[in-house]
Amino acid sequence: MAMAMENNKSLCLTCNEDKITFPCKGCSNEFCLTHLTEHQNKLHDQLNHIINDYDQFKERINEQKQNPQNHSLIKQINQWERNSIEIIKQKAKDCREVLIESLQTCSNDIEKKFNDLSAHIRQIQKENEFNEINLNYLKNQLIKVTKELNNPSSISIHQNWQPFINEISIILSKKSKLNKWSQSAITVAGRNGERQKLNQLDRPFGIFIDKKKNTFIADRWNHRIVEWKCNAKKGQIVAGGSGNGNRIDQLSHPIDVLVDQQNHSIIIADYGNKRVIQWLNKKQLILIDNTDCCGLAMDTHGFLYVSDLVKNEVRRWKMGEYNEGTVVAGGNGQGNQLNQLNRPTFIFVDEEQSVYVSDVGNHRVMKWRKDAKEGTIVAGGNGKGGNLNQLSSPEGVIVDDLGQIYVADFKNNRVMCWCEGKEEGEIAVGGNGGGNQSNQFYGPIGLSFDDDGNLYVSDRWNHRIEKFEITL
């Protein structure tokens, strides 16, 4: 019996004495009866602390719901507002001081002109020698000095597009939407074989959809730009179409196209002729020469962006001022670093002038924020492949209003949708192997949206343009 009692004993964790002990299932330790009670009391104290923490957190939730203005993020916005107002006030004060001084000088000049005119009036009145010519001259001069007084020609107010206060915005993480697109396409252009008839295309590349849902196509191997009206059975040639050549009225393997909807001019990346050319009312103007141009984009401020396949860069030009332009992405040689590109093709520019670039040789899409010295990877970048975190020779790239990035994953025969910051993308349309069915591609390359959010894809080797209707 004594031996049995001995076998029931073990060391208590607290007192470290050989006693009859009881296990705690929570921590798997052994305690004697005295210290088991003590251990349980400690657990009760911990529970009470946790309950108290939960109660305090509940109070914080109620406080935030009742007084959202007290949130720390709101306080950051309030501080930004105060700082910005002070900057604006000081800027306005400085401008007023300069303007008042300039207006005084201007008024003195106008007063001198007026006094001279008044003296002239008195002179002809005194001599009583005047006719209609004199009177018209005096009337016109009075009109001129009146206009000058109301709106001095030597003074104007210039509002710079470049902000002089730090911009502020709210960034909300976005979840991509599944099943956003109909998985069966409607063919809106081509699909009648690889030829040069007006109902045919030959390896189409870049596309542009205007506000009337008309489709402009860089019909590359037909050396022309064709426009297919909405629901049309055939297209019409709007640029080129006179064979492969370098005359001003010819194109050579055009690779991308956009329409300046302000003046309805057509801007073309005329790749074979190493130039960007504008067609307006059947008249041509070379905008940029000696460039291995590939992708085109235009922002809301009227700047033109062009990717250069050989220089591995994207440059921005102000419309009408085509000098050297400004490098806004790449420009540091060919490579895979964050400040480099490797064969950039299609590009997209958002409202904040961030540039998205299909970096084909690196199998990734890069985003370069305005004035950034290097980009960030927003799609792919995990080597060439067909996994959801990979791309294979990405081409067309566009971004929707939610900031979701759509990429023509050329060699994977699919269009991918990526959310910035996510490790992998989702298949938006395609991904069913290479083929010519309505849910397949054979080399998707150009992408565009219409104003309703429908997705258009240039299906290169099927010689057609596919439209996927939005379902959400």
Side-chain angles (χ1 to χ4, degrees), residues 378-397:
V378 292
N382 296 299
K384 178 182 179 181
N387 296 323
L388 291 180
N389 68 340
Q390 293 178 305
L391 298 169
S392 182
S393 298
E395 292 285 356
V397 57

Side-chain angles (χ1 to χ4, degrees), residues 26-27 29 57 84 171-172 193 207 213 232 253 302 304 316 319 361 400 436 469:
C27 63
N29 290 316
F57 188 76
S84 300
I171 300 174
L172 303 175
I207 53 177
K213 295 187 176 62
H253 299 93
L304 178 65
R316 179 182 67 211
M319 291 295 286
D400 67 14
N436 62 6
E469 294 186 333

Side-chain angles (χ1 to χ4, degrees), residues 411-450:
K411 291 187 177 178
N412 285 321
N413 292 304
R414 65 190 184 183
V415 175
M416 296 292 290
C417 174
W418 289 67
C419 289
E420 187 174 348
K422 295 292 185 181
E423 294 294 326
E424 61 182 34
E426 300 171 0
I427 298 175
V429 291
N432 301 303
N436 62 6
Q437 301 302 306
S438 62
N439 67 342
Q440 292 180 306
F441 299 116
Y442 190 14
I445 195 160
L447 296 182
S448 189
F449 286 126
D450 64 23

Side-chain angles (χ1 to χ4, degrees), residues 357-370:
V357 187
S358 278
D359 192 10
V360 177
N362 288 319
H363 308 288
R364 67 189 184 184
V365 175
M366 301 291 289
K367 177 181 179 180
W368 290 64
R369 297 186 183 276
K370 185 182 179 185

Side-chain angles (χ1 to χ4, degrees), residues 203-206 217-225 251-257 268-272:
R203 285 163 278 186
F205 263 62
I217 307 163
D219 191 7
R220 192 173 183 195
W221 286 83
N222 282 324
H223 313 291
R224 66 189 185 185
I225 305 298
L251 298 173
S252 177
H253 299 93
I255 203 166
D256 201 8
V257 59
I268 306 160
D270 189 11
Y271 180 75

Side-chain angles (χ1 to χ4, degrees), residues 336-399:
N336 61 5
Q337 301 301 309
L338 292 180
N339 68 341
Q340 293 179 307
L341 297 169
N342 183 358
R343 295 180 56 238
T345 56
F346 290 92
I347 54 179
F348 179 89
V349 182
D350 66 18
E351 291 182 350
E352 297 176 347
Q353 294 182 301
S354 294
V355 181
Y356 297 77
V357 187
S358 278
D359 192 10
V360 177
N362 288 319
H363 308 288
R364 67 189 184 184
V365 175
M366 301 291 289
K367 177 181 179 180
W368 290 64
R369 297 186 183 276
K370 185 182 179 185
D371 300 326
K373 300 301 181 184
E374 62 181 31
T376 57
I377 300 171
V378 292
N382 296 299
K384 178 182 179 181
N387 296 323
L388 291 180
N389 68 340
Q390 293 178 305
L391 298 169
S392 182
S393 298
E395 292 285 356
V397 57
I398 50 176
V399 182

Side-chain angles (χ1 to χ4, degrees), residues 182-201:
S182 168
Q183 294 301 300
S184 293
I186 301 168
T187 300
V188 296
R191 202 183 187 180
N192 297 301
E194 173 194 348
R195 292 290 186 272
Q196 58 186 7
K197 293 180 180 178
L198 290 179
N199 68 342
Q200 295 175 315
L201 300 170

